[in-house]
Amino acid sequence: MKTQLEKIAGEVNRPCVTISLNTHRTYPDNASDAIVLKNLLLEATESLVAEFGKRPVTKLLDRINTLSDHIDNKDNLDSLHLFLSNSTTAIVQSPWSVTANSVHIADRFFIKPLIRLLNQTEHYLILILSQSGGSLLHAINNGIVAEIKNDDFPIGENQHYITNHEEMSDGKKVDNMVREYLNTVDKAVVRVNHDTNMRCVVVCTEDNYSRLLQVADVPSIYYGHVPIDYNDISHGNIIPKAWAVVEQIQQQRRTDAIKEMQEAVGQGLVITDLNEMYRAAKEGRGELLITHNDFQQPVKMTGPLSFDVVADATQPNVIADISSEIAWEVISKKGRAIFTSQPAIQTIGNMALKVRY
């Protein structure tokens, strides 16, 4: 996703067409998505011809006319975003809805949906420790991507067991055998974490999760645990519970970011003027940007680092949303960008930038 965002955000091409629309995951609602898309593509075509004439944008119009052939509405999520120019065709699905269906035509793409998708997409692991052994899944938000299969996974049942019947009644020895097994599992998870940087939700009993953390080489790689239901360890039963754990982590990150911003206000490190934020982000001074999910501000550039705020995003040479441009500048220069609707953001406004200096 970040590679795709870099390509789309970096393109300057006149014209760049961005089409965003809300979609539906299930039938019969998703049957209407094709009609909505067709109308937005028609709107884009008419706007392009009106502004540029037909001949200069013939190649782009051809891309628009054939785009529907590449979209299967049965696979829709909650919104769909199309990025089209003479040299680019990109189709991106998102699990987050948009405020309104829209068509943006400018010399750059409208990248806020991609930034939000990057910001709120979480790749993580789900470790299932059942009576028969352990399996490891790769998840993205509330969906399973694949089961991880390597030299370690899936792991068979615990082979560290006591054969002496008299020693089986020794609770301490039994506990040590379980810990040895969990230590083996932990080292296998650590190897995957090292290769992927993904952290892990564990599906197991509370006792085993407690033991796992006690023997873990790097306890911080574990997000938390979900109690196991031995009657149903299907992916469909596990993923909503694991995703709920990750969502809580994301929520806490946003809460912590707002608190960090509030503290930075007293240190004189916070900018709220849009022009000043844009300049600071371009200079690489942006450390943390927080933006309300619903905030959007079109502007017209008056210089390399300055612009005027405008009301109509459809005017020629207008950037549809300067907040997304600022967010990308912050992210691309190793800063953090957070989008949130949490009420606490009201204490700092719709958008604020903490600078490094």
Side-chain angles (χ1 to χ4, degrees), residues 6 34 50 68 85 89 94 102-103 121-122 149 163 184 211 221 251-252 257 278 280 285 322 325 341 347:
E6 287 175 348
S68 297
S85 71
T89 299
S94 172
S102 61
V103 175
T121 295
E122 188 92 22
K149 296 183 178 181
T163 57
T184 300
R211 291 188 183 101
I221 70 172
Q251 178 83 354
Q252 188 60 50
Y278 184 70
R285 294 167 52 213
I322 194 61
E325 298 290 327
S341 297
T347 63

Side-chain angles (χ1 to χ4, degrees), residues 34-49:
I35 298 173
V36 175
L37 175 59
K38 181 180 179 180
N39 290 334
L40 290 170
L41 291 172
L42 179 59
E43 178 185 338
T45 297
E46 292 175 346
S47 297
L48 285 168
V49 172

Side-chain angles (χ1 to χ4, degrees), residues 211-226:
R211 291 188 183 101
L212 177 66
L213 292 185
Q214 290 169 21
V215 302
D217 291 342
V218 189
S220 61
I221 70 172
Y222 297 104
Y223 276 144
H225 105 286
V226 172

